[in-house]
Amino acid sequence: MTLAEKAYVDLRHDIIRGVLAPGRPLRLADLSERYGMGFSPLREALNRLQAERLVTAESLRGFRVAPLSLDELHDTVSLRILIETRALRAAIAEGDDAWAAGIVSALYALKLQAGRSGPDADIWALEARHHAFHLSLLAACNSPWTLEFVERLYAATERYRIPVLLDAGLAAGRDVQAEHSALADATLDRDADRAAALLEAHYLHTVEALTAAMRPEATEAVRARAAK
Amino acid sequence: MTLAEKAYVDLRHDIIRGVLAPGRPLRLADLSERYGMGFSPLREALNRLQAERLVTAESLRGFRVAPLSLDELHDTVSLRILIETRALRAAIAEGDDAWAAGIVSALYALKLQAGRSGPDADIWALEARHHAFHLSLLAACNSPWTLEFVERLYAATERYRIPVLLDAGLAAGRDVQAEHSALADATLDRDADRAAALLEAHYLHTVEALTAAMRPEATEAVRARAAK
DNA sequence: GCAATATGGATTTTCGAAAATTTTTGCATT
DNA sequence: AATGCAAAAATTTTCGAAAATCCATATTGC
């Protein structure tokens, strides 16, 4: 892996997880020290991230972590519902046994991690498996552009989820794993209407929870935590 | 505008128009001479274009213009229909007078250019106004991510259209301007169902024409022309 | 003859410094 | 005290060269 690729992976990682807070200026001297490399690979990574809307850039004034806003959250979620429900229908129509087995496998791994607590609990491992599960549902949709947009929207949405997730137990009376199981069941039953409806409900529940957590009075605390 | 921005604009332009043929290796020494700048700004532009899928990159093996394929064409068009019909419905629901006036203006300018022939005909001016017209329809959709994806899919699709467009008169018995007028009428009438159906038909006609032009026996000629 | 390996040139990648630009600071003037 | 301006500092952008890697060709050993 080249340094530029490493810079891209690490920066993306740190932006999505909120280690680099929204709006924060990304000064090359700082980044160079933090990631241990020269300006060139960093600038290449920043340009890629700019194209992905994870960072903003202004001529001769450098880069910043892209800001967050409730409007953007709603925008991304409604697009996710549109694109992912269609992809899910396509996958259900075209998926083979390997696709179905992939879903079963991803769901099982997700549940294992979700069931862990105490020292074995690992929010990042959980997030990775959550994302992998959702991707496994769509894997058979046979549309590279759809998967690309799904990945982009995932990254955009994840930035809103992380600060809330770190507030452990904000799942507030919601059994997320049950939603996942029901979604997998409907998908494996090839019941496209039911699966699409469950996927939509899943995302609407998520955005509801996030909106509640991001209400004006909560915003300050969330931002502050994300900045650490 | 910085050199890196200029490199991005120029490279994107040349890739979309087929001046740089699909699959062609993008060697830094060549690009440096062609665009009159050093490696740094070029690499930054290439990284942005990679994120946009207009170029491909392989570690330590440099960049290439992204290849074309009929499968990808169908993928992009079906996504455009999904995303743009939704955006069009949203715009119809929310658009104000300025939005409507923008459509009238863009359609008028498009027709002016489409009516020109001989020395005044300018395929690039026509394309620009065509794109501007389609954007004007969606301008009021109030969804930055939608407009971003629309722009990305436009660029991807345009690469398939250009070689065919240069074969003047391949509009083959199709009155494209009439389709635009009907689409604008339905939109200005706020008839969302009719407008969405017309938009979908418009894109399906386009992909049909392109598929016909790109049939195996035609592919060679198209590729050769694009390479110039 | 043929596979494996060395060699040289082409190419990408990275760095460090120079150039260009913005931002801050200090100072003088009103 | 506020304003305007100049110098200094900080920062981004770009270049040119060095380092690392890949690729084609020749050469060696069998």
Side-chain angles (χ1 to χ4, degrees):
Chain A
M1 195 195 279
T2 64
L3 278 180
E5 285 166 340
K6 182 165 154 39
Y8 168 76
V9 170
D10 290 353
L11 269 168
R12 183 172 189 274
H13 190 266
D14 288 346
I15 290 170
I16 291 175
R17 292 194 177 181
V19 178
L20 300 170
R24 164 170 169 169
L26 295 167
R27 298 234 171 67
L28 286 164
D30 295 349
L31 298 180
S32 177
E33 186 180 13
R34 171 189 268 262
Y35 297 105
M37 57 183 75
F39 289 0
S40 310
L42 287 168
R43 286 185 62 87
E44 292 183 18
L46 289 167
N47 273 282
R48 286 177 68 176
L49 293 165
Q50 177 196 5
E52 294 182 17
R53 297 200 151 208
L54 286 174
V55 318
T56 61
E58 246 187 309
S59 262
L60 296 174
R61 291 198 198 179
F63 302 86
R64 293 173 167 272
V65 179
L68 299 184
S69 77
L70 268 184
D71 280 352
E72 198 214 4
L73 173 62
H74 290 128
D75 192 17
T76 54
V77 171
S78 70
L79 255 178
R80 283 188 90 168
I81 291 171
L82 177 74
I83 292 175
E84 293 197 25
T85 55
R86 191 180 94 122
L88 182 55
R89 287 173 187 277
I92 287 173
E94 297 172 34
D96 59 8
D97 289 352
W99 163 73
I103 295 171
V104 173
S105 159
L107 178 64
Y108 183 75
L110 172 58
K111 282 192 167 170
L112 278 183
Q113 189 64 45
R116 292 189 178 127
S117 58
D120 287 340
D122 177 344
I123 187 115
W124 305 124
L126 184 63
E127 276 312 290
R129 293 184 183 188
H130 183 216
H131 184 42
F133 168 68
H134 278 280
L135 283 185
S136 77
L137 296 171
L138 313 180
C141 77
N142 195 31
S143 167
W145 277 91
T146 295
L147 294 177
E148 147 115 23
F149 287 166
V150 164
E151 191 60 33
R152 293 271 309 271
L153 292 169
Y154 159 78
T157 312
E158 199 66 358
R159 300 180 66 208
Y160 294 88
R161 292 189 61 219
I162 296 298
V164 178
L165 282 172
L166 294 177
D167 250 353
L170 254 191
R174 179 181 168 208
D175 189 345
V176 180
Q177 294 320 316
E179 291 181 25
H180 289 146
S181 293
L183 179 51
D185 287 345
T187 302
L188 294 172
D189 286 351
R190 311 256 171 182
D191 185 340
D193 288 340
R194 183 158 53 100
L198 287 170
L199 185 60
E200 174 165 358
H202 182 65
Y203 284 138
L204 288 178
H205 288 165
T206 300
V207 74
E208 244 171 68
L210 295 185
T211 303
M214 281 187 72
R215 271 189 312 241
E217 67 269 23
T219 304
E220 285 308 314
V222 168
R223 291 275 164 83
R225 196 172 311 109
K228 282 192 303 202
Chain B
M1 194 193 282
T2 64
L3 279 180
E5 286 166 340
K6 182 166 152 41
Y8 169 75
V9 171
D10 290 353
L11 268 168
R12 184 172 188 273
H13 189 266
D14 287 347
I15 290 170
I16 291 175
R17 292 192 176 180
V19 178
L20 299 170
R24 165 170 167 169
L26 295 167
R27 297 232 173 68
L28 287 164
D30 295 349
L31 298 180
S32 178
E33 187 179 14
R34 171 189 270 262
Y35 297 106
M37 58 184 74
F39 290 0
S40 309
L42 286 169
R43 286 185 61 87
E44 291 183 18
L46 289 167
N47 273 283
R48 286 177 68 176
L49 293 166
Q50 177 195 6
E52 295 183 17
R53 298 202 151 205
L54 286 173
V55 319
T56 62
E58 245 186 310
S59 261
L60 297 174
R61 292 199 200 175
F63 302 87
R64 293 174 166 271
V65 179
L68 299 184
S69 77
L70 269 185
D71 279 352
E72 198 215 4
L73 173 61
H74 291 129
D75 193 17
T76 54
V77 171
S78 69
L79 254 177
R80 283 188 91 168
I81 291 172
L82 177 75
I83 293 175
E84 293 197 25
T85 55
R86 192 180 93 122
L88 182 55
R89 286 173 187 278
I92 287 173
E94 298 172 34
D96 59 7
D97 289 353
W99 163 73
I103 295 172
V104 173
S105 159
L107 178 64
Y108 183 74
L110 172 59
K111 282 192 168 170
L112 277 183
Q113 189 63 46
R116 293 190 177 126
S117 58
D120 287 340
D122 178 344
I123 187 117
W124 306 124
L126 184 62
E127 276 313 289
R129 293 185 182 189
H130 182 216
H131 184 43
F133 168 68
H134 278 280
L135 283 185
S136 77
L137 295 171
L138 313 180
C141 78
N142 196 30
S143 167
W145 277 91
T146 295
L147 294 178
E148 147 116 22
F149 287 166
V150 164
E151 190 61 33
R152 292 272 309 272
L153 292 169
Y154 160 78
T157 312
E158 199 66 357
R159 300 179 67 208
Y160 294 87
R161 292 188 62 219
I162 296 298
V164 177
L165 282 172
L166 293 177
D167 251 354
L170 254 192
R174 179 179 167 210
D175 189 344
V176 179
Q177 294 320 315
E179 291 181 25
H180 289 145
S181 292
L183 179 52
D185 286 345
T187 302
L188 295 171
D189 285 352
R190 310 256 173 181
D191 184 340
D193 288 341
R194 184 159 53 98
L198 287 169
L199 185 61
E200 173 165 1
H202 182 65
Y203 283 138
L204 288 177
H205 288 165
T206 300
V207 74
E208 244 171 67
L210 295 185
T211 303
M214 279 187 74
R215 271 189 309 241
E217 68 269 24
T219 304
E220 285 308 313
V222 169
R223 292 274 164 83
R225 196 172 313 107
K228 281 193 303 202

